[in-house]
């Protein structure tokens, strides 16, 4: 099995607005993030003729991309109290992710994950951090 030497590239584009007052800091932005050449290995098992099974290991290279919107706010309504809140909505998808393992008998199956949701990444992220300090 030949290793994959292609570099991992990460691109990020973002733009947004901010609003700052003594009691409120608010930032809202749109973003696009992509990562190319994610590398993994996977095993595929198939039942061959004659009752034997065969397991092969394949190197996998794919891309991931997400587009979304995030709003970050820090509220300071009175002395000593601070409340930080973050809301992110995104849609992480696999890109260029097609697998075609070939077994020793020449058979193969195609697995196409293009434009499917990346289940290891959340679509909604909510962070709430209240804090209070006493002088």
């Amino acid at each position: 099995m030949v290793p994959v030497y292609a570099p991992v590239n990460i691109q990020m584009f973002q733009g947004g607005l901010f609003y700052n007052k003594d009691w409120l800091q608010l930032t809202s932005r749109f973003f696009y993030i992509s990562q190319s050449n994610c590398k993994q290995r996977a095993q595929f098992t198939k039942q061959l003729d004659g009752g034997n099974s065969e397991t092969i290991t394949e190197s996998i290279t794919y891309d991931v991309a997400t587009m979304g919107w995030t709003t970050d706010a820090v509220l300071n309504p009175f002395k000593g109290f601070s409340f930080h809140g973050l809301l992110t909505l995104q849609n992480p998808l696999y890109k260029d992710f097609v697998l075609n393992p070939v077994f020793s008998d020449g058979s193969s199956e195609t697995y196409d994950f293009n434009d499917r949701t990346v289940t290891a990444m959340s679509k909604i992220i909510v962070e709430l951090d209240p804090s209070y300090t006493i002088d």
Side-chain angles (χ1 to χ4, degrees), residues 12-84:
M12 179 176 181
F13 304 100
Q14 62 183 347
L17 302 168
F18 65 90
Y19 177 79
N20 289 328
K21 291 288 184 192
D22 289 341
W23 63 277
L24 172 68
Q25 295 85 46
L26 182 67
T27 305
S28 189
R29 67 180 173 92
F30 168 81
F31 62 87
Y32 175 81
I33 303 170
S34 67
Q35 179 176 341
S36 65
N37 297 322
C38 300
K39 298 168 182 77
Q40 288 186 345
R41 291 168 52 102
Q43 290 187 328
F44 300 91
T45 302
K46 181 178 181 189
Q47 192 75 22
L48 301 175
D49 292 335
N52 294 330
S53 65
E54 177 182 11
T55 300
I56 60 173
T57 302
E58 296 245 336
S59 293
I60 302 169
T61 304
Y62 59 91
D63 302 341
V64 175
T66 188
M67 185 181 307
W69 167 74
T70 189
T71 295
D72 191 0
V74 179
L75 297 164
N76 300 299
F78 53 87
K79 185 178 179 183
F81 181 75
S82 179
F83 182 82
H84 171 250

Side-chain angles (χ1 to χ4, degrees), residues 64-121:
V64 175
T66 188
M67 185 181 307
W69 167 74
T70 189
T71 295
D72 191 0
V74 179
L75 297 164
N76 300 299
F78 53 87
K79 185 178 179 183
F81 181 75
S82 179
F83 182 82
H84 171 250
L86 174 73
L87 172 66
T88 300
L89 304 173
Q90 63 182 358
N91 190 25
L93 300 174
Y94 289 114
K95 302 292 181 183
D96 299 323
F97 196 175
V98 178
L99 307 172
N100 193 14
V102 179
F103 294 90
S104 63
D105 66 355
S107 64
S108 68
E109 291 188 38
T110 299
Y111 302 93
D112 187 349
F113 297 103
N114 281 323
D115 295 322
R116 295 226 180 144
T117 300
V118 179
T119 57
M121 295 174 68

